């Protein structure tokens, strides 16, 4: 009668965007950070959550060894001293520089096993990601972290036919007009 069939499957996470070039900068750090997060989610879904469920149901199982990358993620994003938070702080300072950012990160994470500053690497640091060690050169980190849109894109958005889009990209001086407000609305004219 109503026998159940089960499908067997193998879950494989293809971390497609992990980057390690001869010279790695802020963009590679962001991409590799995203991939660290994906790897952690994969680990949770495939290993940790299943093991917790097996234990709660009293199912006999053998522990599966896997690399937990939580400490690497903490190096990158822990508040208030993770690499990205230190970068945000340094980027907000008028007198901030990439060199001061590097010195702060070195001072903060010198003893972290996922962080290294090789003597030959004068302008950067190494993060020991789950997929391998990556050397990051900090030149341009602060500027790239500011998220400034290209002026041509801002101009295009300010010229949009959609009032909401114009309002989102309005300059401070002309924000009412860009949002579609008429100077005559509610008054004489």
């Amino acid at each position: 009668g109503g026998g159940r069939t089960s499908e067997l499957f193998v879950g494989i996470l293809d971390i497609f965007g992990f980057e390690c070039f001869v010279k790695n900068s802020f963009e590679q750090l962001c991409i590799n950070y995203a991939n660290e997060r994906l790897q952690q989610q994969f680990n949770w879904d495939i290993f940790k959550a299943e093991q917790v469920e097996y234990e709660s149901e009293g199912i006999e199982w053998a522990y599966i060894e896997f690399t937990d990358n939580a400490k690497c993620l903490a190096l990158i994003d822990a508040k208030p001293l993770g690499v990205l938070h230190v970068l945000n702080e340094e980027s907000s300072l008028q007198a901030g520089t990439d060199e001061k950012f590097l010195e702060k990160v070195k001072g903060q994470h010198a003893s972290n096993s996922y962080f290294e500053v090789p003597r030959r690497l004068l302008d950067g640091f190494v993060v020991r990601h789950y997929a391998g060690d990556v050397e990051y050169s900090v030149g341009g980190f602060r500027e790239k972290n500011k998220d400034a849109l290209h002026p041509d894109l801002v101009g295009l958005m300010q010229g949009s036919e959609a009032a909401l889009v114009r309002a989102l990209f309005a300059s401070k001086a002309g924000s009412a007009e860009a949002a579609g407000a008429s100077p005559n609305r509610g008054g004489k004219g």
Side-chain angles (χ1 to χ4, degrees):
R4 293 173 56 181
T5 61
S6 64
E7 286 186 36
L8 299 176
F9 73 94
V10 174
I12 298 175
L13 176 62
D14 183 7
I15 304 298
F16 214 177
F18 191 83
E19 294 188 351
C20 184
F21 300 116
V22 172
K23 184 167 181 162
N24 300 285
S25 189
F26 181 66
E27 298 87 351
Q28 285 74 39
L29 179 63
C30 292
I31 289 166
N32 293 342
Y33 167 65
N35 283 304
E36 285 285 354
R37 280 273 163 224
L38 286 171
Q39 181 67 30
Q40 184 184 52
Q41 187 65 48
F42 174 80
N43 286 346
W44 174 255
D45 290 343
I46 300 303
F47 299 118
K48 290 181 183 178
E50 288 297 317
Q51 291 176 5
V52 166
E53 188 173 330
Y54 289 173
E55 285 178 359
S56 71
E57 294 180 8
I59 298 172
E60 196 174 311
W61 60 280
Y63 180 79
I64 299 170
E65 196 73 32
F66 64 93
T67 302
D68 186 354
N69 64 342
K71 290 181 181 176
C72 182
L73 285 166
L75 164 70
I76 298 170
D77 71 2
K79 290 182 181 178
L81 301 172
V83 170
L84 293 177
H85 293 285
V86 173
L87 178 60
N88 284 339
E89 177 188 300
E90 192 65 22
S91 296
S92 69
L93 301 174
Q94 205 167 21
T97 67
D98 292 328
E99 293 76 19
K100 288 178 185 176
F101 158 69
L102 179 59
E103 288 309 310
K104 288 178 182 179
V105 170
K106 282 180 182 179
Q108 185 59 43
H109 299 291
S111 63
N112 189 315
S113 62
Y114 288 87
F115 184 84
E116 181 186 358
V117 182
R119 292 176 200 222
R120 63 177 167 62
L121 186 61
L122 301 176
D123 70 336
F125 57 90
V126 172
V127 173
R128 290 193 171 97
H129 293 282
Y130 74 92
D133 295 359
V134 179
E135 293 182 359
Y136 296 101
S137 298
V138 300
F141 262 49
R142 286 181 64 255
E143 190 61 36
K144 293 172 183 178
N145 187 45
K146 291 181 181 178
D147 288 335
L149 293 174
H150 193 280
D152 291 345
L153 176 60
V154 173
L156 182 67
M157 296 297 115
Q158 289 173 337
S160 173
E161 293 178 14
L164 175 62
V165 173
R166 287 193 311 274
L168 292 172
F169 291 88
S171 63
K172 289 182 173 128
S175 57
E177 289 179 44
S182 169
N184 297 330
R185 193 173 290 163
K188 296 180 186 175

